[in-house]
Amino acid sequence: MNKPAVLVARAVFPEVLTRLEQHFQVEHNQADEVWSRDQLVARLKGKAGVFTTGGERIDAEVLAACPTLKICANMAVGFNNFDLPAMTAAKVLGTNTPDVLTETTADFGFALLMATARRVTEGEHYLRAGQWTKWAYDMFAGSDVHGSTLGILGMGRIGQGIARRGAHGFGMKVIYHNRSRLSPELEAECKASYVSKEELLRSSDHLVLVLPYSAQSHHAIGPAELAQMKPTANLVNIARGGIVDDAALAQALRDRRIAAAGLDVFEGEPKVHPDLLTVPNVVLTPHIASATVPTRRAMANLAADNLIGFLVNGKPLTPLNPEVLAAA
Ligand code: 8YV
């Protein structure tokens, strides 16, 4: 029997490719070329599945051009690159990689929070530039993390991981806002109190964004929200570009409307708003919150398991639109 054809849209761990090749005819991109939409569509022709990494947009137009496609397996927990309703209408399954990255991503949220609060990269740039000639009482004086108020917008698995770190590790008071409130048990475990978005903006010393990107969360933090924050507050975004209005944030940082920001994700990444590159009080990282070797390996294997599980055994592990399975 012919093996199903799959496309792996980006370079992956060689052993993951080897696993996929045991089950599929694989077209890969180990050269890690950046394909245009047309190039992606051309390569998707005749494929039953695609391994994506969050950067490849799968929408009605792509689906119409690739009628053989049955599954898109994202190597990411976020799936805003998928038009899920269009996929469901076309009976194409979407899968993502939840859980395996939760703790690693929460670790990084905390790393960015601490680097931002304690001005780590600003200090490093100063030192590397040879500007450190004497100690000064207020040199790179930042804000305290321990005992401060940690605000979390979006309280899914990663948000809860950040809450636990803040409450149990740093004695922070944790407040959160989310579409739905956590169960009393989870709130107690995270030592987190539910507040309105306004209260969250007003009271957080450190505000971490961990909500999914959607039309509803586009520019959830813009000029009006930044204006409500404390002038001493720090903002951390490990969620998605587009949740923050980057131009407004750069202005707020320049005007010291808020103290500092730590950003791992950007509107239109890998491009970064030029104003963010020139303000000093921002820590910038290139979308690496899930980037540890074991976690990236686990994400890649889970995406591969979803392709194998669905196309070979009819049982994907982490389906996003299981109604497609029910209809099959
Ligand atoms: C990915 C992420 O590395 O999982 C997510 O949603 O943002 C990251 O962990 C990125 O999306 C590339 O796949």
Side-chain angles (χ1 to χ4, degrees):
M1 206 180 71
N2 273 350
K3 291 175 177 175
V6 304
L7 178 69
V8 180
R10 295 291 308 275
V12 289
F13 293 96
E15 68 271 23
V16 174
L17 206 54
T18 304
R19 281 188 64 211
L20 289 169
E21 281 166 348
Q22 286 162 6
H23 301 276
F24 305 118
Q25 299 171 54
V26 178
E27 180 175 347
H28 62 70
N29 181 13
Q30 288 303 79
D32 215 23
E33 287 167 4
V34 178
W35 294 336
S36 68
R37 191 173 158 84
D38 287 349
Q39 287 171 320
L40 175 70
V41 167
R43 286 171 172 89
L44 279 174
K45 297 262 190 240
K47 302 293 190 302
V50 60
F51 182 119
T52 50
T53 60
E56 297 77 26
R57 175 98 188 124
I58 305 290
D59 57 19
E61 199 183 51
V62 171
L63 295 166
C66 310
T68 55
L69 202 59
K70 292 188 171 61
I71 173 172
C72 302
N74 230 18
M75 182 186 146
V77 67
F79 52 90
N80 53 301
N81 56 316
F82 290 171
D83 180 340
L84 206 58
M87 287 169 63
T88 305
K91 300 191 172 53
V92 173
L93 185 74
T95 63
N96 68 339
T97 58
D99 301 322
V100 292
L101 48 60
T102 301
E103 299 303 327
T104 294
T105 305
D107 281 349
F108 190 83
F110 233 86
L112 205 46
L113 186 161
M114 296 202 67
T116 303
R118 299 303 305 275
R119 305 176 62 180
V120 171
T121 55
E122 237 184 305
E124 183 178 354
H125 290 145
Y126 175 87
L127 182 152
R128 283 181 187 271
Q131 291 173 297
W132 188 28
T133 53
K134 61 180 190 329
W135 180 91
Y137 78 96
D138 60 349
M139 193 166 77
F140 297 109
S143 48
D144 272 325
V145 173
H146 72 274
S148 64
T149 298
L150 170 62
I152 301 175
L153 186 57
M155 198 60 153
R157 289 163 284 219
I158 298 169
Q160 292 165 34
I162 291 169
R164 286 192 188 95
R165 281 161 179 74
H168 300 289
F170 290 83
M172 297 170 92
K173 174 182 172 190
V174 181
I175 54 177
Y176 76 98
H177 183 75
N178 197 38
R179 269 175 309 185
S180 50
R181 198 171 162 169
L182 295 183
S183 67
E185 294 75 27
L186 268 180
E187 280 191 356
E189 206 182 301
C190 297
K191 291 195 180 176
S193 308
Y194 183 82
V195 295
S196 66
K197 185 177 171 189
E198 292 67 33
E199 173 68 22
L200 187 80
L201 292 167
R202 237 189 348 255
S203 303
S204 299
D205 294 313
H206 307 278
L207 176 59
V208 184
L209 309 178
V210 212
L211 66 169
Y213 179 78
S214 66
Q216 290 71 43
S217 63
H218 181 75
H219 286 188
I221 302 293
E225 289 75 18
L226 291 162
Q228 291 175 65
M229 292 175 67
K230 293 181 185 179
T232 50
N234 299 307
L235 177 72
V236 172
N237 187 8
I238 56 163
R240 275 291 179 274
I243 292 175
V244 175
D245 176 342
D246 284 349
L249 175 61
Q251 191 62 50
L253 290 167
R254 195 182 298 284
D255 297 347
R256 305 277 163 171
R257 196 40 224 94
I258 64 169
L263 307 174
D264 186 49
V265 288
F266 304 88
E267 284 188 285
E269 64 186 50
K271 289 204 183 92
V272 176
H273 194 291
D275 293 353
L276 286 173
L277 298 173
T278 56
V279 284
N281 44 341
V282 62
V283 179
L284 305 168
T285 53
H287 202 147
I288 54 170
S290 67
T292 65
V293 176
T295 291
R296 283 284 166 85
R297 212 186 286 284
M299 292 164 69
N301 274 308
L302 180 51
D305 286 340
N306 274 313
L307 285 169
I308 298 164
F310 180 59
L311 290 175
V312 180
N313 307 317
K315 282 197 183 69
L317 273 73
T318 49
L320 291 166
N321 49 351
E323 54 271 42
V324 169
L325 300 171

